[in-house]
């Protein structure tokens, strides 16, 4: 009984009385479900001021029904009963709330689109990608007349979530689509007694600028007061899911498969990559000439990542909007069982070179400004803050920012002809340790090395030896050092790289000890943009301890390339193995290197994304 906001339990023997006025409320709650309709009764007696027997009585018949919509809110892979925090979602190790995967793989080889694009279940493997949701009910064999249970979603979530239900479990097991897209509600058949109805929930969309990743599903018991009057809910139970974000994998994670294209002039390159892959003990997939249509830039077309829930996880490829000859590769060759696909295409924006995914990288886990980033931070190249240059298209940037768990850092890459971050920065692991080093292209380091060689009497050492296709005549250390135009151009390039160096040190929490400068030289094209003068060694492929580095064709001193020797002296002590790959004809002359022409699918992080605190 509630009187003047004070709550008191009413004794069952009627030993206490309360004044009858507008502020006195009798609240009745059942402690257990009914076995029959109207099997409980509450009698209320009305007494005069002088006591004595009741002057009137009123009785209320009650039917108790237990209803609980349940999910895996504690993220242990098991759907527990009536978790008190199931209707909210919180981040961190102590967080609560269920998780949903976007069903973006394709289990059936005979359909053309991802599983989330249709409202059918073709096999049990499709259900394994979905999150389980159980509606538990307990009560009489049937609901009282005029009552029904309804499962529903808000209109705003109809394009974000889909729900399936197993119909006729003993006769063919047909899974029907009950919620999502045009279906906003589903009348649940009440079966009586103690029952569990199992539903399967799939995500339809990744988090984006207009979607924070949270979806709500509710069940309500509806009551009809009288014929012709609409039903109203008398009880509602809700659950909240968070759609799993797309997560990128840095160079420090173990490689699984290396992807590379076969084109008319890269046979020797493929052979060297194959040797490197076998040393690293991972797989290699070659995209045929028929499929790539002379497009060799595997790194630019796709980016590998993954999605994860407590019950399941699988890799997902992000397809870039560049759409060169490789535009159908991801859908036709990668999308399949337990390998998902996602893309973002701008409607009106112009797609530039900065939309290629050589311009999309991710750091290893870092701590910066007192904040931990246990899944690393995404790096994207953009234009200089003070000028209107090329930028990655808004739909892709919005998608990357909306994933939340790898907070992006925008760098300045528009000073380059191609304009990709992988032309001046990469990361390598230190085998056996959780540490890493950031490698940066450095004209200063190259000039310093060349001056040292000149002082040692090797000024006439020749570059590009063994390469017949170069446009340059005989190039020596002396000629490079005496070229004032080249010196000025590389001073400009060094300033552009130093700008990025400062951003990376600040945003990734790095010190100078964490950075290794890799010698590089650039030349400026007729549009004032920079391109590599000799093969750019930073643009390497990292397969755990094995590095596939573009062969620089540097000055030959005592039968050895001094650039190769210098880079090995920096990386060998870390436990890394350097393999120099000749890409000068097949990639470098087309303005790319080893990393641009390859792509690596890697194992996911052991760290669970829901333990991040964004």
């Amino acid at each position: 009984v509630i009187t003047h906001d004070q709550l008191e339990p009413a004794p069952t023997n009627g030993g206490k009385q309360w004044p009858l006025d507008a502020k006195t409320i009798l609240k009745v709650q059942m402690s257990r479900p009914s076995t029959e309709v109207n099997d409980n009764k509450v009698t209320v007696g009305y007494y005069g001021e002088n006591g004595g027997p009741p002057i009137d009585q009123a009785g209320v018949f009650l039917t108790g029904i237990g209803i609980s919509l349940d999910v895996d809110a504690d993220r242990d892979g098991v759907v527990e009963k009536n978790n008190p925090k199931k209707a909210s979602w919180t981040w961190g190790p102590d967080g609560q709330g269920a998780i949903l995967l976007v069903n973006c793989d394709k289990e059936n080889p005979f359909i053309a689109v991802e599983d989330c694009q249709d409202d059918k279940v073709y096999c049990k493997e499709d259900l394994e990608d979905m999150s389980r949701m159980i509606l538990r009910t307990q009560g009489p064999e049937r609901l009282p007349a005029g009552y029904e249970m309804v499962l529903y979603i808000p209109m705003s979530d109809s394009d974000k979530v889909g729900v399936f239900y197993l119909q006729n479990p003993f006769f063919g097991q047909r899974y029907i689509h009950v919620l999502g897209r045009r279906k906003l509600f589903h009348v649940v058949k009440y079966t009586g007694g103690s029952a569990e109805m199992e539903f399967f929930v799939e995500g339809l969309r990744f988090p984006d600028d207009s979607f924070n990743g949270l979806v709500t599903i509710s069940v309500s018991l509806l009551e009809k007061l009288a014929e012709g009057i609409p039903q109203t809910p008398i009880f509602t139970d809700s659950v909240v899911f968070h759609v799993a974000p797309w997560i990128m994998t840095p160079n420090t994670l173990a490689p699984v498969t290396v992807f590379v294209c076969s084109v008319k002039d890269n046979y020797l390159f493929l052979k060297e990559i194959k040797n490197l892959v076998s040393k690293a003990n991972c797989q290699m997939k070659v995209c045929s000439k028929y499929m790539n249509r002379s497009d060799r830039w595997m790194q630019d077309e796709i980016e590998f990542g993954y999605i994860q829930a407590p019950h399941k996880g699988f890799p997902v490829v992000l397809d870039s909007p560049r759409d060169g000859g490789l535009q159908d590769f991801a859908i036709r060759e990668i999308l399949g069982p337990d390998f998902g696909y996602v893309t973002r295409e701008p409607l009106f924006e112009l797609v530039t070179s900065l939309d290629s995914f050589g311009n999309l990288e991710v750091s290893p886990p870092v701590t910066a400004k007192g904040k931990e980033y246990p899944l690393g931070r995404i790096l994207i190249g953009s234009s200089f803050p003070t000028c209107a240059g090329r930028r990655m298209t808004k739909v892709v940037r919005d998608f990357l920012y909306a994933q939340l768990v790898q907070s992006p850092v925008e760098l300045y890459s528009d000073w380059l002809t191609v304009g990709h971050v992988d032309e001046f920065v990469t990361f390598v692991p230190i085998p056996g340790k959780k540490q890493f080093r950031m490698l940066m292209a450095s004209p200063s380091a190259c000039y310093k090395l060349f001056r040292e060689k000149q002082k040692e009497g090797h000024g006439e050492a020749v570059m590009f030896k063994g390469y017949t296709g170069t446009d340059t005549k005989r190039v020596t250390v002396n000629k490079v050092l005496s070229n004032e135009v080249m010196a000025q151009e590389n001073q400009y390039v060094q300033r552009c790289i130093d700008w990025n160096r400062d951003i990376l040190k600040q945003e990734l929490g790095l010190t100078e000890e964490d950075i290794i400068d890799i010698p590089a030289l650039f030349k400026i094209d007729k549009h004032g943009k920079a391109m590599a003068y000799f093969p750019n060694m930073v643009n390497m492929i990292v397969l755990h301890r094995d590095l596939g580095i573009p062969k620089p064709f540097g000055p030959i001193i005592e039968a050895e390339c001094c650039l190769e020797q210098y880079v090995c002296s920096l990386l060998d002590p870390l436990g890394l193995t350097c393999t120099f790959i000749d890409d000068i004809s097949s990639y470098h002359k087309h303005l790319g290197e080893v990393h641009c022409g390859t792509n690596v699918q890697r194992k996911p992080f052991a760290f669970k994304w829901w333990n991040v605190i964004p």
Side-chain angles (χ1 to χ4, degrees):
V1 177
I2 303 170
T3 54
H4 302 282
D5 297 328
Q6 297 294 314
L7 184 67
E8 289 184 69
T12 53
N13 62 5
K16 180 154 185 183
Q17 297 175 2
W18 287 268
L20 184 64
D21 66 29
K23 292 187 177 177
T24 302
I25 300 167
L26 177 63
K27 194 173 181 181
V28 180
Q29 185 173 355
M30 294 192 66
S31 58
R32 62 177 181 268
S34 297
T35 54
E36 294 178 21
V37 173
N38 296 336
D39 65 350
N40 285 269
K41 184 182 179 183
V42 173
T43 302
V44 180
Y46 297 90
Y47 297 87
E49 289 181 3
N50 302 321
I55 57 177
D56 204 353
Q57 284 186 324
V60 181
F61 286 97
L62 300 172
T63 305
I65 298 169
I67 299 174
S68 178
L69 189 61
D70 294 326
V71 290
D72 177 19
D74 59 3
R75 305 168 187 167
D76 65 353
V78 178
V79 179
E80 65 274 9
K81 191 170 184 180
N82 210 16
N83 188 309
K85 296 183 179 178
K86 64 187 179 182
S88 60
W89 209 94
T90 50
W91 294 86
D94 301 319
Q96 294 276 333
I99 291 162
L100 201 55
L101 296 176
V102 176
N103 196 7
C104 59
D105 67 342
K106 187 178 76 166
E107 305 292 352
N108 188 337
F110 301 108
I111 60 168
V113 294
E114 309 96 284
D115 292 336
C116 59
Q117 299 285 359
D118 59 36
D119 53 9
K120 293 179 175 61
V121 173
Y122 292 99
C123 56
K124 285 199 171 180
E125 287 76 15
D126 198 4
L127 293 176
E128 289 170 7
D129 299 338
M130 303 185 196
S131 297
R132 290 171 69 233
M133 178 175 73
I134 297 175
L135 176 58
R136 294 182 168 105
T137 57
Q138 206 171 354
E141 287 187 12
R142 56 183 175 77
L143 289 174
Y147 291 83
E148 67 179 4
M149 277 193 305
V150 174
L151 195 69
Y152 60 94
I153 54 173
M155 172 77 82
S156 58
D157 288 350
S158 62
D159 61 339
K160 302 174 181 76
V161 64
V163 180
F164 292 85
Y165 175 61
L166 175 58
Q167 192 180 51
N168 300 329
F170 303 110
F171 302 100
Q173 294 202 336
R174 180 168 163 261
Y175 294 91
I176 59 167
H177 180 251
V178 295
L179 289 179
R181 296 190 174 90
R182 289 179 297 277
K183 297 174 183 173
L184 297 180
F185 71 93
H186 170 70
V187 178
V188 179
K189 187 179 178 183
Y190 177 79
T191 56
S194 183
E196 291 189 354
M197 282 161 274
E198 189 174 32
F199 296 87
F200 295 88
V201 188
E202 67 174 355
L204 304 180
R205 271 182 60 189
F206 280 94
D208 221 321
D209 64 324
S210 59
F211 172 41
N212 64 3
L214 296 175
V215 294
T216 304
I217 302 175
S218 303
V219 65
S220 286
L221 181 65
L222 304 183
E223 179 184 54
K224 197 169 194 175
L225 291 173
E227 198 63 42
I229 296 176
Q231 295 168 311
T232 53
I234 58 169
F235 171 81
T236 298
D237 202 19
S238 297
V239 294
V240 171
F241 288 93
H242 196 298
V243 175
W246 179 78
I247 301 168
M248 285 180 67
T249 51
N251 287 349
T252 48
L253 292 175
V256 176
T257 309
V258 175
F259 290 79
V260 63
C261 289
S262 170
V263 289
K264 63 182 180 182
D265 59 358
N266 77 338
Y267 171 75
L268 293 174
F269 176 83
L270 278 179
K271 199 173 173 184
E272 291 189 66
I273 290 290
K274 190 175 181 181
N275 292 337
L276 181 72
V277 167
S278 63
K279 262 171 60 180
N281 201 23
C282 54
Q283 295 176 302
M284 176 171 162
K285 287 192 179 173
V286 179
C287 175
S288 67
K289 297 182 182 73
Y290 167 76
M291 178 54 66
N292 64 52
R293 294 177 295 175
S294 302
D295 185 355
R296 69 192 69 216
W297 307 116
M298 184 60 80
Q299 184 64 226
D300 289 342
E301 184 61 39
I302 54 177
E303 188 66 54
F304 288 104
Y306 68 94
I307 57 176
Q308 190 177 42
H311 69 282
K312 179 83 183 272
F314 54 81
V316 175
V317 62
L318 175 65
D319 197 359
S320 86
R322 78 183 270 271
D323 288 348
L326 279 164
Q327 67 176 24
D328 297 328
F329 173 66
I331 285 186
R332 289 174 60 180
E333 298 289 321
I334 298 177
L335 173 63
D338 286 346
F339 213 126
Y341 172 88
V342 61
T343 189
R344 287 293 181 271
E345 300 272 351
L347 288 175
F348 307 112
E349 269 186 287
L350 190 67
V351 172
T352 70
S353 172
L354 270 68
D355 293 306
S356 298
F357 287 163
N359 195 34
L360 173 61
E361 296 298 318
V362 65
S363 80
V366 292
T367 301
K369 303 175 190 170
K371 183 171 172 54
E372 289 185 10
Y373 299 92
L375 301 174
R377 298 192 71 178
I378 286 172
L379 308 178
I380 54 177
S382 199
S383 53
F384 196 67
T386 57
C387 66
R390 297 170 295 175
R391 294 188 81 190
M392 184 177 278
T393 191
K394 185 177 183 299
V395 286
V396 178
R397 272 187 294 122
D398 286 347
F399 173 81
L400 297 171
Y401 276 93
Q403 306 314 303
L404 292 181
V405 294
Q406 294 178 306
S407 178
V409 177
E410 289 200 39
L411 300 174
Y412 168 42
S413 67
D414 190 35
W415 54 275
L416 288 152
T417 303
V418 177
H420 294 174
V421 292
D422 70 350
E423 297 178 74
F424 61 85
V425 65
T426 192
F427 301 89
V428 294
I430 301 178
K433 299 183 182 179
K434 286 189 175 178
Q435 298 168 305
F436 66 90
R437 291 289 181 266
M438 182 171 78
L439 310 187
M440 295 202 80
S442 174
S444 294
C446 191
Y447 273 98
K448 186 182 175 191
L449 178 66
F450 279 15
R451 287 191 194 103
E452 285 173 9
K453 297 304 173 188
Q454 190 182 50
K455 279 182 185 174
E456 291 168 9
H458 301 298
E460 288 303 306
V462 178
M463 295 183 70
F464 302 107
K465 206 165 187 180
Y467 172 57
T468 53
T470 180
D471 297 330
T472 53
K473 299 281 194 293
R474 186 172 178 272
V475 180
T476 63
V477 171
N478 287 338
K479 277 189 179 176
V480 169
L481 293 177
S482 62
N483 188 330
E484 286 187 24
V485 173
M486 182 178 271
Q488 286 176 345
E489 289 176 351
N490 278 280
Q491 194 176 5
Y492 160 74
V493 167
Q494 189 63 56
R495 286 185 180 179
C496 294
I497 292 171
D498 287 345
W499 174 281
N500 289 300
R501 188 190 197 94
D502 290 341
I503 294 171
L504 287 163
K505 282 167 69 175
Q506 188 176 356
E507 296 297 334
L508 302 183
L510 303 180
T511 64
E512 282 297 322
E513 287 71 40
D514 299 315
I515 304 170
I516 295 175
D517 290 312
I518 301 296
L521 285 181
F522 292 82
K523 54 186 179 182
I524 303 295
D525 66 16
K526 60 185 178 184
H527 302 293
K529 307 290 186 184
M531 63 177 80
Y533 178 64
F534 58 78
N536 184 356
M537 292 183 283
V538 158
N539 196 277
M540 64 178 71
I541 182 173
V542 180
L543 304 177
H544 194 47
R545 66 173 67 243
D546 294 293
L547 311 180
I549 304 173
K551 186 177 178 63
F553 287 89
I556 301 297
I557 298 170
E558 295 171 5
E560 275 196 65
C561 169
C562 70
L563 287 171
E564 289 184 23
Q565 207 174 27
Y566 179 72
V567 168
C568 286
S569 73
L570 296 173
L571 300 179
D572 286 356
L574 300 178
L576 300 166
T577 305
C578 300
T579 301
F580 292 90
I581 295 173
D582 182 355
D583 73 350
I584 196 164
S585 300
S586 50
Y587 291 88
H588 173 73
K589 75 175 187 183
H590 300 288
L591 305 184
E593 311 288 357
V594 173
H595 185 259
C596 306
T598 57
N599 214 315
V600 186
Q601 178 208 343
R602 300 180 186 275
K603 288 183 179 176
F605 282 100
F607 186 90
K608 309 302 181 192
W609 65 265
W610 49 87
N611 292 327
V612 170
I613 299 176

